[in-house]
Amino acid sequence: MASNAYDLINPSTGAVFQTVELASVEQTDEAIGRAKAAFPGWRDLAPATRAGLLLDFAAAVGNQLEDLAQLEVRNAGHTIGNARWEAGNVAAVLRYYAAAPERLFGRQIPVPGGLNVTFREPLGVVGIIVPWNFPMPIAAWGFAPALAAGNTVVLKPAELTPLTALRLAELAHSVGIPSDVFQVLPGAGQVVGQRFVTHPDVRKVVFTGSTAVGKQIATGCADQVKRFTLELGGKNANIVFADADIEKAAATAPYGVFDNAGQDCCARSRILVQRSVYDRFLELLEPAVKGVRVEEPLSETAEMGPLISAAQRTRVESYVDSSRVAFTGSCPDGDGFWFPPTVLLSESDDPAWNQEVFGPVVSVRPFETEAEAIALANDTEYGLSGSIWTRDVGRALRVSRGVEAGNLSVNSHSAVRYWTPFGGFKQSGLGRELGPDALDGFTEVKNVFISTEE
Ligand code: NAD
């Protein structure tokens, strides 16, 4: 076994099923060098040619959807239904950004004595650092717009979950995207990820992960005034007003937080319920939580699988103060990293109320007024997502404007839509991914004046 081999563990069995080789600093430097050399050729491709390659890449992902999904079930413990959605999301994101090369418009701005135009130039080599919770979509949200805008990409998956990213790179190369244009380097955060930050030829770092590491990335990038995008943690509120469809709000609340076993930066892990319907809501929530199907992730009926690792399960457990548990759902016994959906009745002093648990644990609290609900929702350093349940349109808009978060849904817990912008307020991040906005983060605006004077 090579010295840099890293064991991959199937979260639903706890057993090692494969090893991968982690890249060294030297290998990272070589990859960055190749990406730099490949940049002019990729940048200068005719827009329609780059678009065509991205469409072919999307089609290849579509053809391998089931294989990619099965790989993610094994490596990350995602339910097969979720994993299929995630692979499909990669194809959709590629198709969406395949339209970009031919539409990277600049502007013509009136000036005296000549013509003034702007160009949107690619940055060069982009380093993308991906967490383990959604290995496929989060990788694609970075590489698809980066490649579309004419950049070359070096991507580091999380140590725990490198397999689908490696497969995606193979698929890209199989359709003719040059191997140096899109490289995937499994490796340690402090080795490969850190090198993306310090290497002068990496012109931008796209980071998704914890707020603690995100701050280090920001500090490191400052040294070279390197561009960066951060997608970090969340402590998101699901606010249920008395005038809402309480049955629907209670029936859907578990899926707003327990999807992907709660390992989701958008998990609605605080439920705020207006006092007059609080008891009724809890009565309805209990059967909804007990009805969540926590099963072997390959089961077609599984709605929730295991946590990613033994360490994550220990961390999640540490947030559950038994005196605050209202009720729990069930989960399989066995060697996997299982944890049942858990509902807490929390107060402000509860760490589970204040911190991102990143597991299937939700805190419920009553509130009296609209102003109190907004204040409670905003009482966090984070600002990523949230949900608002009300039949009052004015209230829906007032509260949507009042909650300090980048992605809100009214009377739903909408998943991230790839054609709309996604990102955080406050310490949940910096910059926007997806939608039309993402391309701004992968280009620099260049202004050119052409004199028309004789
Ligand atoms: P993490 O910050 O530990 O790791 C994320 C990635 O950063 C991994 O690839 C890791 O290897 C790398 N890394 C670690 N240390 C590094 C360093 N010093 N320099 C460069 N790279 C380094 O986070 P995690 O535990 O893998 O993921 C969970 C966290 O990610 C949660 O806090 C969650 O909220 C957040 N997250 C946010 C979003 C979002 O879009 N806002 C999405 C998913 C996950």
Side-chain angles (χ1 to χ4, degrees):
M1 191 184 286
S3 57
N4 265 348
Y6 185 89
D7 288 338
L8 301 180
I9 295 174
N10 181 332
S12 64
T13 64
V16 175
F17 68 97
Q18 192 172 327
T19 58
V20 285
E21 194 70 18
L22 299 185
S24 63
V25 172
E26 294 71 29
Q27 288 167 321
T28 308
D29 284 355
E30 284 162 20
I32 293 167
R34 289 193 297 270
K36 184 184 181 192
F39 171 59
W42 182 247
R43 176 194 61 198
D44 296 342
L45 275 186
T49 307
R50 207 159 60 230
L53 287 166
L54 293 174
L55 285 175
D56 291 347
F57 185 9
V61 172
N63 289 336
Q64 293 294 312
L65 205 135
E66 187 62 24
D67 280 6
L68 285 162
Q70 297 273 346
L71 200 56
E72 205 66 287
V73 174
R74 205 173 322 136
N75 195 174
H78 290 195
T79 64
I80 185 67
N82 277 12
R84 287 182 186 130
W85 181 91
E86 291 159 18
N89 183 257
V90 175
V93 171
L94 280 165
R95 277 195 298 273
Y96 179 77
Y97 286 108
E102 292 158 303
R103 294 170 178 79
L104 270 180
F105 303 130
R107 287 170 295 170
Q108 177 268 317
I109 300 172
V111 289
L115 173 72
N116 192 97
V117 288
T118 64
F119 296 94
R120 294 174 72 178
E121 305 284 17
L123 306 171
V125 180
V126 172
I128 302 175
I129 303 172
V130 180
W132 47 258
N133 62 333
F134 289 107
M136 280 193 278
I138 291 175
W141 301 353
F143 69 65
L147 293 171
N151 304 283
T152 54
V153 169
V154 285
L155 183 145
K156 192 198 86 60
E159 291 88 324
L160 295 172
T161 56
L163 295 184
T164 46
L166 286 165
R167 182 68 61 83
L168 288 170
E170 284 169 15
L171 292 173
H173 306 155
S174 75
V175 300
I177 292 178
S179 57
D180 294 346
V181 164
F182 178 34
Q183 301 177 71
V184 171
L185 295 168
Q190 290 184 345
V191 179
V192 179
Q194 182 62 17
R195 191 64 184 134
F196 291 176
V197 174
T198 57
H199 198 300
D201 289 335
V202 175
R203 293 295 165 83
K204 170 165 182 154
V205 174
V206 177
F207 174 80
T208 304
S210 60
T211 296
V213 175
K215 288 178 184 175
Q216 292 173 30
I217 303 275
T219 307
C221 285
D223 193 43
Q224 297 168 17
V225 197
K226 187 174 290 197
R227 278 71 180 132
F228 57 90
T229 304
L230 302 176
E231 297 288 357
L232 310 174
K235 191 71 203 174
N236 314 296
N238 174 10
I239 308 173
V240 182
F241 286 96
D243 67 9
D245 179 342
I246 303 299
E247 282 72 22
K248 192 171 175 192
T252 57
Y255 301 96
V257 58
F258 299 142
D259 189 58
N260 205 30
Q263 301 166 122
D264 181 343
C265 46
C266 289
R268 275 64 164 173
S269 57
R270 286 176 165 179
I271 306 180
L272 306 173
V273 188
Q274 202 154 21
R275 176 84 68 185
S276 59
V277 294
Y278 181 69
D279 292 341
R280 175 74 184 132
F281 182 86
L282 282 176
E283 268 171 33
L284 293 165
L285 184 64
E286 184 164 358
V289 168
K290 291 187 186 304
V292 175
R293 301 184 66 123
V294 186
E295 295 172 358
E296 287 297 329
L298 269 178
S299 159
E300 293 288 338
T301 55
E303 293 179 323
M304 189 181 122
L307 291 167
I308 186 74
S309 64
Q312 187 66 6
R313 186 171 59 184
T314 304
R315 183 170 173 265
V316 172
E317 256 163 8
S318 74
Y319 280 104
V320 178
D321 170 350
S322 57
S323 69
R324 301 192 199 250
V325 175
F327 44 85
T328 68
S330 59
C331 66
D333 302 326
D335 293 334
F337 310 126
W338 300 100
F339 200 88
T342 300
V343 177
L344 307 179
L345 304 182
S346 292
E347 299 290 333
S348 294
D349 62 345
D350 187 355
W353 172 262
N354 287 304
Q355 296 170 27
E356 185 178 47
V357 178
F358 230 53
V361 177
V362 68
S363 297
V364 189
R365 274 181 76 172
F367 68 88
E368 303 286 348
T369 64
E370 187 179 308
E372 188 191 356
I374 293 172
L376 281 170
N378 287 340
D379 183 20
T380 165
E381 70 202 19
Y382 295 117
L384 191 56
S385 76
S387 301
I388 298 145
W389 290 79
T390 176
R391 289 188 170 105
D392 179 333
V393 178
R395 166 171 284 159
L397 285 168
R398 282 194 305 276
V399 179
S400 296
R401 300 300 296 271
V403 174
E404 298 161 345
N407 313 271
L408 296 169
S409 42
V410 175
N411 297 328
S412 67
H413 305 292
S414 63
V416 179
R417 294 187 174 83
Y418 60 81
W419 63 100
T420 62
F422 175 69
F425 280 30
K426 303 195 293 193
Q427 293 194 33
S428 283
L430 197 69
R432 289 294 176 273
E433 299 196 288
L434 296 174
D437 300 49
L439 294 163
D440 293 341
F442 291 108
T443 50
E444 295 275 18
V445 173
K446 180 182 284 173
N447 194 65
V448 177
F449 170 75
I450 304 156
S451 171
T452 51
E453 281 171 13
E454 292 187 45

